[in-house]
Amino acid sequence: MSMDKLIDSLSSQGWYVWDDFMSLQHIQAIKNSIPDTLQDARIGRGDTLQGNKSIRADQTVWLEPEMGEPIVNYLDKMEQVRQELNCQLYLGLRDFETHFCRYPNGGFYKKHVDNPRGQGRRKVTTVLYMNETWQAGDGGELVVYDKENNQLFELEPLAGRMIFFMSEEFPHEVLPTQQKRESIAGWFLTEKLL
Ligand code: OGA
Ligand code: MN
């Protein structure tokens, strides 16, 4: 079962790609629940926008249950994953924050670590891809590196696919996309820092 594979891979190698995590039907329903107006992405919640356009060029909106049933279903699914990770791996995940991202043609996100030096609460990163018509040559691949910056793999942002990885351990980047590219990024958070 995929949940067991997720647990095994996350604990042994620190990442896992779950194809068909979500059905195309559910993805369509989520897309239809996203508000029309998105915001230029910031690097972290609360950071300033200035200068960030050279690092990332995408638009985002934080997801809330009030946006409708398809979003609630997604949040429920992620809550099941959170409980499973806590039961099996004792990760102490307390919360989940998640936003929808849209990269326009030409959009990218330069190499970064989601939780550098473990200073923040982000423990596990998740990215769900939502691009039904993706083809080779469209760009927009996620490139994942190890701690020594050796490239581990490249991933096409195919609809229904979800990647999980430990937020402190894997530098990654989004290559320039030749097509509109949509995804939902999420982070399981540890207890608030004192
Ligand atoms: C992020 C991120 C990767 C992707 O939002 O932090 O790295 O493939 N996203 O969309
Ligand atoms: Mn990231």
Side-chain angles (χ1 to χ4, degrees):
M1 208 198 120
S2 294
M3 189 69 86
D4 299 327
K5 289 191 192 147
L6 167 64
I7 301 292
D8 284 353
S9 301
L10 212 52
S11 58
S12 60
Q13 62 185 10
W15 57 271
Y16 180 61
V17 176
W18 188 331
D19 283 316
D20 305 311
F21 180 81
M22 207 166 263
S23 71
L24 296 183
Q25 202 181 347
H26 191 181
I27 291 207
Q28 266 307 331
I30 289 177
K31 282 188 185 177
N32 293 333
S33 311
I34 301 296
D36 292 335
T37 323
L38 308 183
Q39 296 193 329
D40 285 338
R42 286 153 198 259
I43 300 299
R45 233 174 173 164
D47 281 359
T48 57
L49 188 57
Q50 214 141 40
N52 291 347
K53 291 223 168 109
S54 60
I55 299 174
R56 63 186 299 183
D58 61 324
Q59 291 201 309
T60 62
V61 61
W62 292 99
L63 298 182
E64 311 288 351
E66 291 72 26
M67 291 172 177
E69 197 193 307
I71 305 290
V72 171
N73 289 344
Y74 159 72
L75 294 172
D76 284 350
K77 244 176 124 98
M78 298 314 285
E79 172 61 15
Q80 282 172 27
V81 172
R82 186 186 73 84
Q83 289 180 16
E84 203 71 29
L85 294 182
N86 279 349
C87 288
Q88 310 249 19
L89 301 178
Y90 309 104
L91 289 180
L93 308 173
R94 292 285 167 268
D95 298 303
F96 183 61
E97 61 180 10
T98 182
H99 63 193
F100 174 82
C101 303
R102 181 178 295 137
Y103 294 74
N105 191 342
F108 58 85
Y109 193 165
K110 292 270 172 70
K111 198 201 272 188
H112 64 281
V113 179
D114 285 351
N115 185 6
R117 295 174 295 284
Q119 287 167 331
R121 295 177 63 207
R122 290 175 172 179
K123 191 73 183 172
V124 179
T125 299
T126 66
V127 189
L128 172 68
Y129 296 106
M130 313 182 80
N131 309 291
E132 287 113 318
T133 60
W134 207 264
Q135 292 186 338
D138 284 345
E141 294 90 354
L142 174 74
V143 188
V144 178
Y145 301 84
D146 68 13
K147 273 185 169 159
E148 286 76 44
N149 283 310
N150 303 304
Q151 183 173 324
L152 293 177
F153 57 89
E154 268 188 31
L155 200 64
E156 293 181 324
L158 304 179
R161 166 178 280 175
M162 186 174 256
I163 182 167
F164 299 78
F165 59 89
M166 302 307 291
S167 306
E168 297 163 34
E169 290 175 28
F170 298 94
H172 56 282
E173 67 181 319
V174 177
L175 299 180
T177 176
Q178 320 294 330
Q179 232 206 71
K180 180 179 79 172
R181 178 192 193 270
E182 294 179 323
S183 60
I184 292 179
W187 295 273
F188 290 111
L189 309 175
T190 53
E191 195 62 74
K192 276 195 179 59
L193 305 168
L194 294 175

